[in-house]
Amino acid sequence: MSIKFLKALSMLITVSLLMVASAGCGGSGGGGSGNSDEIVIGVLVPTSGSEAYYGTDMLQSYQLAVDEINEAGGVLGRTLTLYQADDGCNANMATQAASKIVSHGVDFVVGGYCSGATIPALQQFYDANLVTLVSAANSTEITKLGLNQTFMFNSPGNHAADTLVDLLRFLGSQSVALIHQGDAYTKDLSDICESVLPQNGIDIATVQVMEKGSADVSAIVTAIRNSGADFVYWCGYHADGSNVIKQLRQGGYEGDIAVGDGSASVELITASGPAGEGVYVTSPPFVEFASGGDTFVADYTAKFGAGPGTYATLCYDTMYVLKEAIEKVGSTDFEQVRDAVQNADYKGLSGRIKFTSDRELEVSNFIILQIKDGSFALVTI
Amino acid sequence: MFSTWELILQQLVNGLILGSFYALIALGYSMVYGIIKLLNFAHGDIYMTGAFVCLTVFGALSRAVAGWPGIILSIVAAMFLAGILGYLTQRFAYRPVLGAPRLSLLITAIGVSLVIYNAVMVITNSQPLFFVSGLDNSAGIQVGNITITYIQMILLVVSSVLMIGLTLFIGRTMIGKAMRAIAMDQDTCRLMGINVNKIIGLTFVIGSALAAIAGGMACVYYGNVQFNMGYTMGIKAFTAAVIGGIGSIPGAMLGGILLGLLEAIGTQFLGSSWKDVFAFGLLILILILRPNGLLGRSVVERM
């Protein structure tokens, strides 16, 4: 207990030091829109911590779009620049990062990977009148905040559940076991499945929690086998997902396994090894399967030396939607750009981007993949 | 579907595996507490370091020595390096404050824990690493509906051998006797010509090597290694050591196995979200009934 307390204490001291430091330079911020040569866009993504891989991929994807736009003459004759802050996929760091972005005086905000880290930051962007485009985080809790300048470019969890229902019907599965990790995003996805699946005549056999930081799920696997589930849906992230898949097979579970979009990573394939064969993924639009994705992959790879990740197309599209909105209204005025994004209808690499009045995507962009011979293959139903 | 006894038996197997991890780590907590009354909070991080060394060495060796020989070599390397790390923490962080009030020693231990934790976090850039051995983790035997994999059997055998070996070492050798004597009275030991510092150092080396073996086995068995993996594991192993009676070697093993079993049974009958509430609730009850732990004694002898 005392170590936890001390960790909290040292964190508190660090936070207060940082706040003193950022207050010191806060006076010069707040005037980003005053500089007429640049449009500054704040980027909130994790570039450290367990999800740093995704955060870096997102940042690079924004950078690619920004560089393209600037080479083509910028927006309204002004160049776009990015100002990144690291949320570490953690609520404490995210609030600090958000303060950093706000006090830097940005014009707009993009980013958002871990919902648990994104949600605490969003209120600050709302208070600062910044149009905020959330590219990847997709907890329905974001919608529930009701912030009228925050738009979600990724299909929310209920779209994933709809896609999962399609897959379950296709496979003829009757009874599903859900596993989540107890945090905002994974619990949210699990809760949605728990309500959507029974509405479609599919039983929920059991819901299990694998705490973050604990590696052993053998007891959970036995409980799942005993529940009679013929399908397991892992709602968590890929770092633990591969371990769960391996232990399910080790523990004698023989039914189908699917994982949510938090685990949609090629790392899942290498890490889960032979146990991963045949595992399904309810995935965000992977660029390899998008029309017009080839050029994007080529440009991205040429620039960063490695191919784009799962959320790259969403981020790329986010930047272009923002560009079109600014150009449409001819200024960076908060209310005008906000309304322009609300009315956007854009066909991008990630699919159609059009918002409901709740500022969620109108049409699901989820696809179903399956691990076959060590790589992802598209499943068409 | 399982029959009731199959279900309980399978959960006992699950609990036993998890419990042997707890027990191996708990031994280090207990040995160190027994000998210098220090709650070595850095122990969980030594476990994590062991896992990282195992993974790194295995990766480096994989061209030359793969499969089981590679795994054994990697775990031996992890034992070695973790043993050295354990010795260094003792030599440079704990020994200078051994004479100071107990709280200073405790705070030093927390400091050492944070240093190792953050160093590994920076070195690995906070990324999880994956152990890809090419071995078939699922291979095993099936009795009725009960599944036991070969890796699980190896884990159980290895940890049993280690625990029996350690018990014999402490109970039957001169060094073990010296350890027990130091636990009773350091000053008298000095007067009797026992090299107290050397024995304390050796205690850290053995405890750290055991934690590193647990780390190496976790790396092979679970397959993913993260800088924060030692935290929960450390807290739970520490709990196991206290339940068994901190300072008692058989107590640490008993506490570890018991905690693992309670978690597995709790998961089955109350659900995974309640398993810790169940396990720790029962543990509090045990402590109320036996404040010194199951095998702990209230007298000064603690080894």
Side-chain angles (χ1 to χ4, degrees):
Chain A
M1 281 305 108
S2 59
I3 187 162
K4 211 165 189 177
F5 169 73
L6 276 148
K7 278 184 178 166
L9 188 69
S10 59
M11 188 87 84
L12 200 68
I13 295 169
T14 322
V15 171
S16 44
L17 284 174
L18 278 172
M19 278 163 73
V20 171
S22 61
C25 54
S28 58
S33 48
N35 183 344
S36 59
D37 303 334
E38 282 187 345
I39 297 174
V40 186
I41 300 165
V43 183
L44 180 80
V45 289
T47 46
S48 70
S50 56
E51 310 306 318
Y53 164 78
Y54 290 107
T56 311
D57 177 49
M58 289 174 69
L59 183 61
Q60 290 177 347
S61 192
Y62 291 128
Q63 192 64 54
L64 179 66
V66 163
D67 290 350
E68 281 178 16
I69 293 167
N70 286 341
E71 270 164 38
V75 182
L76 309 176
R78 295 160 67 179
T79 52
L80 298 180
T81 54
L82 297 179
Y83 177 75
Q84 191 253 335
D86 177 15
D87 70 31
C89 191
N90 138 349
N92 282 335
M93 274 177 80
T95 37
Q96 292 169 41
S99 313
K100 232 176 105 184
I101 289 175
V102 170
S103 62
H104 186 74
V106 302
D107 300 282
F108 303 99
V109 178
V110 298
Y113 174 68
C114 299
S115 298
T118 309
I119 290 168
L122 288 176
Q123 186 69 38
Q124 291 190 54
F125 300 141
Y126 176 78
D127 291 341
N129 279 348
L130 294 168
V131 173
T132 305
L133 309 180
V134 179
S135 295
N138 65 347
S139 166
T140 49
E141 297 295 323
I142 295 176
T143 320
K144 286 184 199 150
L145 296 174
L147 306 175
N148 68 2
Q149 43 52 273
T150 304
F151 298 88
M152 273 164 68
F153 280 67
N154 196 2
S155 272
N158 49 343
H159 287 182
D162 295 342
T163 307
L164 181 63
V165 168
D166 292 341
L167 176 64
L168 291 167
R169 288 214 174 114
F170 174 69
L171 296 171
S173 305
Q174 299 297 321
S175 172
V176 175
L178 301 167
I179 318 176
H180 65 83
Q181 297 192 276
D183 61 325
Y185 159 72
T186 67
K187 171 90 168 46
D188 183 49
L189 180 56
S190 167
D191 285 351
I192 292 164
C193 292
E194 215 180 328
S195 74
V196 170
L197 267 46
Q199 288 166 17
N200 290 279
I202 295 155
D203 287 336
I204 302 290
T206 174
V207 180
Q208 299 285 342
V209 190
M210 177 199 186
E211 320 149 63
K212 283 191 167 178
S214 74
D216 199 290
V217 286
S218 57
I220 291 177
V221 171
T222 303
I224 287 175
R225 278 182 64 197
N226 189 56
S227 73
D230 59 1
F231 191 98
V232 173
Y233 189 55
W234 164 250
C235 304
Y237 298 101
H238 82 276
D240 290 316
S242 55
N243 181 17
V244 169
I245 291 170
K246 280 196 290 191
Q247 287 192 56
L248 277 166
R249 292 302 184 215
Q250 249 179 62
Y253 171 77
E254 283 164 356
D256 286 310
I257 304 172
V259 299
D261 49 315
S263 295
S265 154
V266 282
E267 276 199 309
L268 183 81
I269 304 177
T270 42
S272 51
E277 256 328 276
V279 167
Y280 294 95
V281 189
T282 53
S283 165
F286 252 105
V287 65
E288 287 86 343
F289 305 105
S291 62
D294 297 348
T295 347
F296 175 76
V297 175
D299 291 348
Y300 188 106
T301 313
K303 199 173 182 85
F304 303 110
T310 319
Y311 299 94
T313 52
L314 288 166
C315 297
Y316 186 79
D317 288 348
T318 302
M319 203 50 84
Y320 273 96
V321 168
L322 179 62
K323 172 195 176 249
E324 288 206 345
I326 300 170
E327 279 176 343
K328 196 170 158 196
V329 299
S331 85
T332 54
D333 178 72
F334 164 63
E335 282 176 12
Q336 287 183 27
V337 173
R338 180 192 68 198
D339 295 343
V341 174
Q342 176 72 65
N343 297 321
D345 189 352
Y346 181 81
K347 274 219 170 57
L349 290 173
S350 62
R352 187 175 178 200
I353 293 165
K354 187 176 189 321
F355 294 101
T356 64
S357 54
D358 283 335
R359 298 162 303 280
E360 288 178 354
L361 281 188
E362 208 171 82
V363 192
S364 167
N365 62 18
F366 278 94
I367 56 175
I368 299 172
L369 302 175
Q370 189 181 21
I371 302 178
K372 270 187 187 157
D373 304 323
S375 61
F376 285 128
L378 189 68
V379 177
T380 39
I381 293 177
Chain B
M1 292 268 196
F2 294 92
S3 63
T4 311
W5 69 266
E6 277 179 334
L7 183 63
I8 292 174
L9 221 59
Q10 176 79 70
Q11 288 294 19
L12 289 182
V13 171
N14 297 338
L16 210 57
I17 307 269
L18 180 59
S20 17
F21 280 102
Y22 291 155
L24 279 181
I25 306 169
L27 283 172
Y29 277 108
S30 227
M31 284 170 71
V32 166
Y33 186 84
I35 203 158
I36 54 169
K37 311 287 172 288
L38 160 69
L39 299 178
N40 184 12
F41 277 114
H43 198 59
D45 301 288
I46 301 264
Y47 158 79
M48 174 268 290
T49 312
F52 267 108
V53 172
C54 173
L55 185 131
T56 315
V57 172
F58 186 81
L61 285 179
S62 63
R63 278 163 199 274
V65 211
W68 281 108
I71 289 174
I72 292 168
L73 274 177
S74 314
I75 293 183
V76 169
M79 280 171 67
F80 228 79
L81 287 176
I84 293 172
L85 181 64
Y87 179 79
L88 291 178
T89 59
Q90 184 273 143
R91 177 66 190 80
F92 294 105
Y94 302 140
R95 196 192 289 179
V97 286
L98 269 184
R102 193 83 64 76
L103 266 180
S104 313
L105 200 56
L106 184 71
I107 296 297
T108 310
I110 292 171
V112 171
S113 165
L114 288 174
V115 166
I116 301 177
Y117 180 93
N118 285 295
V120 175
M121 185 174 88
V122 172
I123 292 168
T124 61
N125 200 13
S126 317
Q127 295 292 313
L129 297 176
F130 299 101
F131 183 85
V132 183
S133 63
L135 295 173
D136 184 6
N137 276 31
S138 314
I141 52 165
Q142 187 99 15
V143 186
N145 279 315
I146 302 167
T147 313
I148 306 173
T149 64
Y150 296 129
I151 290 196
Q152 289 175 325
M153 288 185 233
I154 293 170
L155 287 184
L156 286 180
V157 171
V158 170
S159 32
S160 313
V161 167
L162 287 171
M163 288 189 238
I164 294 169
L166 184 72
T167 312
L168 292 178
F169 177 76
I170 302 243
R172 301 279 173 85
T173 63
M174 278 311 281
I175 297 177
K177 197 179 243 178
M179 286 177 174
R180 282 179 289 143
I182 293 173
M184 282 187 224
D185 192 330
Q186 271 192 36
D187 294 331
T188 313
C189 287
R190 261 191 200 100
L191 293 173
M192 297 295 168
I194 297 174
N195 188 340
V196 173
N197 281 340
K198 203 171 125 191
I199 300 290
I200 293 176
L202 191 66
T203 308
F204 272 87
V205 171
I206 295 173
S208 304
L210 287 175
I213 295 175
M217 295 197 315
C219 163
V220 176
Y221 182 55
Y222 299 120
N224 59 341
V225 177
Q226 258 167 302
F227 70 95
N228 56 7
M229 67 187 281
Y231 180 67
T232 314
M233 216 54 184
I235 293 289
K236 291 204 166 156
F238 173 55
T239 313
V242 173
I243 292 305
I246 193 152
S248 156
I249 297 296
M253 302 179 212
L254 182 67
I257 304 282
L258 186 70
L259 184 57
L261 290 176
L262 286 178
E263 282 191 21
I265 297 295
T267 302
Q268 181 59 50
F269 296 105
L270 293 166
S272 36
S273 36
W274 286 95
K275 71 158 203 262
D276 283 344
V277 178
F278 170 75
F280 282 81
L282 277 184
L283 297 180
I284 290 171
L285 201 68
I286 293 176
L287 285 184
I288 291 173
L289 297 175
R290 290 194 59 95
N292 293 308
L294 289 171
L295 302 180
R297 284 176 237 166
S298 50
V299 289
V300 278
E301 190 197 315
R302 286 223 166 67
M303 254 339 232

